[in-house]
């Protein structure tokens, strides 16, 4: 890792930001937060195999990233999402377009602002919404995002969204080697309701995308959140999702990594109020040289909180997938109820899946469990399908598809679930035959 050019890109990007601040651009208090985050990132340095949450990751991929900061890269071309081919949903784009109010439609039950606008109009509120820099190595890339993001989106749910809100994350243009830092802050008022989809679009160059989403759920708020990755085979993507839940709030979260490049996702959730509930669903597929890596940290910080984590991983050829989850029950968080379920499916002798569920409990009246299994396709089920005249490739693909159903069925949006199913089927053997079996 010592030969990685990444620190040079980081130093250059921070020098430009610091220079802008010296010219009087931006809030002084927010710049102090950024400077503290930058200092802690530099102190932590790049991850090594000795870092507990990175022990299963192939860190060599980070050394292959170029050094051009995204601010110097050509602006991305706008494109649509296969999740909403009809383009019927309100859609936001990151990075934002150059016009001050472009890409910010008027949506009932929701107020939208650029983070640059919020910093100019209400810097104190933006500071309240921004995470304070910590020394936790799990937040290393969130620290970098805090220090370097240029702009982003503030999505303020004030009531009930009548349709899903789609946020498209665009990579820099093909041919650039860029370090990009995109940020979304979602603030949900008490009793608000909504569905928000973040779709990270294909990146075909050797880019490092370092995205962060920060979600604050008020009392009795309910949010269903999707993050879908479809990065290119050469891309390197790091994403941190930080969630804070007030009393009686409900958070339904779906993470889908269908298999492409190196994608590292982190979910860090704090159940801060009594009655807060979290349901997390993770689907990851590793094909060829893919390296999807997921880390979930859930902290029960109040009594009578509930969390459910369901993860399904598949790996074929030389693919490798990792799922590392940890639940912490704080002192006084009595009646906490937590379940972790992770199942991995190996489709090739050279494939690898690493799972590590953990519990750390400091209360004496709780109900917590975890389980992790990894294996191959059930030979009895495979024999059953073969005995019915189904060819081996199709039979295997059908069983793989059924294996993923636990995660897919948790999605309330049928159109999104169908689009993800079709995308997954397109990656499996004998696609055309499978489409006939799964025709709706």
């Amino acid at each position: 890792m010592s030969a990685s050019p990444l620190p040079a890109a980081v130093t250059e990007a921070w020098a430009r930001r610091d220079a802008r601040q010296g010219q009087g651009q931006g809030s002084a208090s927010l710049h102090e937060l950024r400077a503290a985050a930058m200092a802690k990132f530099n102190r932590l340095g790049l991850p090594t195999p000795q870092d507990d949450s990175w022990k299963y990751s192939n860190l060599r991929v980070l050394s292959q990233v170029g050094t051009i900061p995204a601010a110097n890269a050509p602006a991305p071309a706008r494109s649509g999402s296969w999740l909403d081919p009809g383009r019927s949903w309100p859609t936001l784009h990151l990075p934002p377009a150059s016009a001050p109010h472009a890409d910010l439609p008027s949506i009932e039950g929701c107020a939208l602002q650029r983070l640059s606008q919020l910093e100019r109009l209400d810097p104190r509120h933006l500071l309240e919404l921004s995470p304070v820099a910590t020394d936790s190595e799990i937040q290393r890339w969130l620290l970098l995002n805090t220090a370097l993001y240029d702009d982003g989106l503030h999505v303020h749910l004030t009531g009930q969204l009548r349709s899903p809100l789609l946020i498209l994350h665009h990579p820099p243009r093909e041919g650039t080697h860029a370090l990009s830092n995109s940020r979304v802050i979602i603030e949900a008022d008490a009793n608000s309701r909504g569905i928000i989809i973040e779709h990270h679009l294909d990146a075909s160059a050797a880019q490092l995308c370092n995205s962060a989403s920060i979600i604050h759920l008020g009392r009795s708020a309910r949010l269903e959140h999707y993050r879908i990755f479809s990065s290119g085979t050469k891309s390197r993507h790091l994403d941190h999702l930080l969630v804070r839940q007030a009393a009686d709030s409900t958070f339904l979260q779906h993470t889908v990594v269908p298999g492409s490049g190196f994608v590292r996702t982190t979910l860090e959730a704090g159940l801060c109020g009594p009655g807060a509930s979290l349901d997390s669903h993770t689907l990851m597929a590793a094909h060829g040289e893919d390296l999807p890596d997921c880390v979930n940290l859930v902290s029960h910080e109040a009594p009578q909180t509930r969390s459910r984590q369901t993860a399904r991983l598949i790996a074929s050829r030389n693919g490798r997938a990792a799922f590392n989850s940890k639940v912490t029950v704080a002192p006084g968080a009595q009646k906490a109820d937590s379940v972790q379920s992770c199942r991995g499916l190996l489709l090739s002798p050279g494939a690898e899946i690493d799972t590590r569920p953990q519990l750390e409990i400091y209360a004496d009246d709780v109900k917590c469990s975890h389980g992790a299994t990894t294996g191959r396709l059930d030979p009895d089920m495979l024999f059953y399908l073969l005995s019915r005249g189904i060819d081996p490739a199709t039979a295997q693909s059908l069983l793989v598809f059924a294996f993923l159903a636990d995660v897919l069925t948790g999605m309330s949006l049928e159109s999104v679930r169908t689009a993800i199913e079709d995308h997954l089927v397109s990656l499996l053997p004998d696609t055309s035959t499978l489409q006939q079996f799964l025709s709706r």
Side-chain angles (χ1 to χ4, degrees), residues 409-422:
T409 55
M411 300 176 178
S412 68
L413 280 176
E414 183 178 353
S415 60
V416 171
R417 184 174 66 248
T418 300
I420 292 172
E421 288 175 351
D422 291 341

Side-chain angles (χ1 to χ4, degrees), residues 264-299:
R264 157 91 172 198
T265 69
T266 301
L267 167 63
E268 190 177 357
L271 308 182
C272 307
S277 176
L278 164 71
D279 282 270
S280 167
H281 300 88
T282 304
L283 187 156
M284 307 181 80
H287 308 292
E289 302 299 326
D290 298 334
L291 296 162
D293 186 357
C294 177
V295 176
N296 283 6
L297 302 177
V298 178
S299 178

Side-chain angles (χ1 to χ4, degrees), residues 40-331:
K40 291 188 176 182
F41 176 83
N42 286 332
R43 186 160 56 250
L44 287 169
L46 292 175
T48 70
Q50 282 68 49
D51 290 318
D52 190 56
S53 69
W54 288 86
K55 64 185 298 182
Y56 298 123
S57 300
N58 184 350
L59 300 178
R60 288 176 299 175
V61 297
L62 295 180
S63 68
Q64 303 166 8
V65 177
T67 60
I68 302 176
N72 291 346
R78 292 291 186 252
S79 59
S81 168
W82 48 264
L83 295 171
D84 180 28
R87 303 195 180 186
S88 58
W89 299 332
T91 302
L92 308 175
H93 298 272
L94 275 177
S98 57
H101 300 288
D103 296 341
L104 298 180
S106 177
I107 303 174
E108 183 178 353
C110 178
L112 302 173
Q113 265 187 317
R114 288 185 178 191
L115 294 184
S116 57
Q117 289 177 297
L118 185 59
E119 180 175 1
R120 186 173 64 254
L121 300 175
D122 195 353
R124 179 177 298 180
H125 187 50
L126 178 56
L127 189 62
E128 292 171 349
L129 295 174
S130 302
V132 177
T134 74
D135 289 316
S136 170
E137 66 92 5
I138 195 67
Q139 289 194 355
R140 174 186 280 107
W141 299 101
L142 180 62
L143 291 172
L144 185 63
N145 182 278
T146 298
L148 297 183
Y149 79 88
D150 283 318
D151 205 351
L153 296 170
H154 176 225
V155 181
H156 187 185
L157 300 184
T158 58
Q160 180 170 351
L161 288 179
R162 298 191 178 277
S163 67
L165 176 63
L166 177 62
I167 300 174
L168 296 182
H169 293 257
H170 299 270
R173 286 188 185 274
E174 184 175 354
T176 65
H177 295 262
L179 166 63
S180 63
N181 296 276
S182 64
R183 171 165 290 208
V184 175
I185 297 179
I186 300 171
E187 182 183 6
D189 286 351
N191 300 303
S192 59
R193 300 285 187 274
I195 299 176
I196 296 179
I197 304 164
E198 294 191 59
H199 189 188
H200 298 267
L201 298 176
D202 291 341
S204 57
Q207 302 156 351
L208 178 62
C209 301
N210 179 33
S211 55
S213 298
I214 300 154
I215 299 177
H216 298 269
L217 296 183
R219 178 181 288 272
S220 299
R222 179 185 176 88
L223 176 65
E224 183 170 2
H225 177 265
Y226 295 75
R227 55 177 174 172
I228 315 296
F229 297 86
S230 52
S231 302
T233 56
K234 296 181 180 179
S235 67
R236 312 291 181 254
H237 200 125
L238 303 154
D239 182 79
H240 199 109
L241 175 59
L242 182 67
V243 185
R244 293 292 178 262
Q245 296 186 233
D248 298 318
S249 61
T250 301
F251 186 51
L252 308 177
Q253 208 289 314
H254 310 281
T255 295
V256 178
V257 184
S260 48
F262 172 76
V263 179
R264 157 91 172 198
T265 69
T266 301
L267 167 63
E268 190 177 357
L271 308 182
C272 307
S277 176
L278 164 71
D279 282 270
S280 167
H281 300 88
T282 304
L283 187 156
M284 307 181 80
H287 308 292
E289 302 299 326
D290 298 334
L291 296 162
D293 186 357
C294 177
V295 176
N296 283 6
L297 302 177
V298 178
S299 178
H300 291 253
E301 301 173 13
Q304 297 180 327
T305 48
R306 171 190 171 277
S307 68
R308 297 288 184 271
Q309 297 182 63
T310 303
R312 297 294 180 262
L313 287 68
I314 59 173
S316 63
R317 299 193 292 279
N318 294 321
R320 178 176 180 179
F323 183 80
N324 190 343
S325 63
K326 181 177 182 180
V327 170
T328 302
V329 180

